[in-house]
Each structure stands twice: as C-alpha cells, then as structure tokens.
C-alpha cells in the first residue's frame, strides 16, 4: 500500500499474475507458434504470401484456408485451421 513508502506515493500499486491458458483446441504448438510468427511478421501481407517459405511449391496457394485474409483479421481458431491444413498438405 502507499503507506508502506516514504514519501507516500500518490498512486497505489498492484502485482498482477498472468497465467497462460491452454488453447481451446488440440494442435502442434510448435507449428502453431511458427505460423503465428510468420503471419504476424508481415501482418499486412495476405496469408498465402506469408506462408510461402513453408510451402516450397508443394501445395496450391489458393487452397490455403483464409489465403486472402491478413493476420490481424484471424482468430486463434482460424490460425489453427491453417496449421491443420499445413500438417496435411505442407512439408
């Protein structure tokens, strides 16, 4: 509390503990984190352009879920759909 300090501060302090929640879906977390990192590194690019390094020409860009969306438009569940697609059709 502010009374524990001299001079007494004009604001009160609070310690907040943040605990990560488990994702609401089953996924390969390593791939999920890699995809999330890739799409947010260039968040204004479309998903199909961000994922080119992972595809190596093995799958059609037009078949990527949310290919014409941008990272900032996607919910975690939608990113997971991309991860599941990559597990099936990517490297």
């Amino acid at each position: 509390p502010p009374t524990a300090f001299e001079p007494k501060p004009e604001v009160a302090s609070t310690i907040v503990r943040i605990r990560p929640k488990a994702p609401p879906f089953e996924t390969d977390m390593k791939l999920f984190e890699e995809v999330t990192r890739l799409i947010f590194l260039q968040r204004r690019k479309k998903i199909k352009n961000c994922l080119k390094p992972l595809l190596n020409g093995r799958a059609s860009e037009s078949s990527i879920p949310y290919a014409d969306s941008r990272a900032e438009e996607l919910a975690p569940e939608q990113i997971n759909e991309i991860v599941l697609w990559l597990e099936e059709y990517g490297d």
Side-chain angles (χ1 to χ4, degrees), residues 3-69:
T3 56
F5 297 93
E6 187 61 43
K8 180 179 166 185
E10 295 181 19
V11 295
S13 299
T14 302
I15 295 176
V16 178
R17 179 177 292 170
I18 300 173
R19 296 182 187 160
K21 291 173 56 176
F25 43 79
E26 292 290 323
T27 192
D28 174 356
M29 283 308 292
K30 185 175 179 182
L31 183 57
F32 183 87
E33 289 171 2
E34 182 178 0
V35 167
T36 302
R37 183 183 60 78
L38 274 176
I39 66 176
F40 276 96
L41 278 174
Q42 300 174 351
R43 65 186 175 96
R44 293 299 304 150
K45 280 191 169 185
K46 292 185 177 183
I47 298 300
K48 64 184 175 188
N49 296 324
C50 294
L51 296 180
K52 282 183 182 180
L54 294 178
L55 296 178
N56 296 326
R58 299 183 87 188
S60 168
E61 293 174 9
S62 63
S63 65
I64 299 171
Y66 311 103
D68 290 322
S69 298

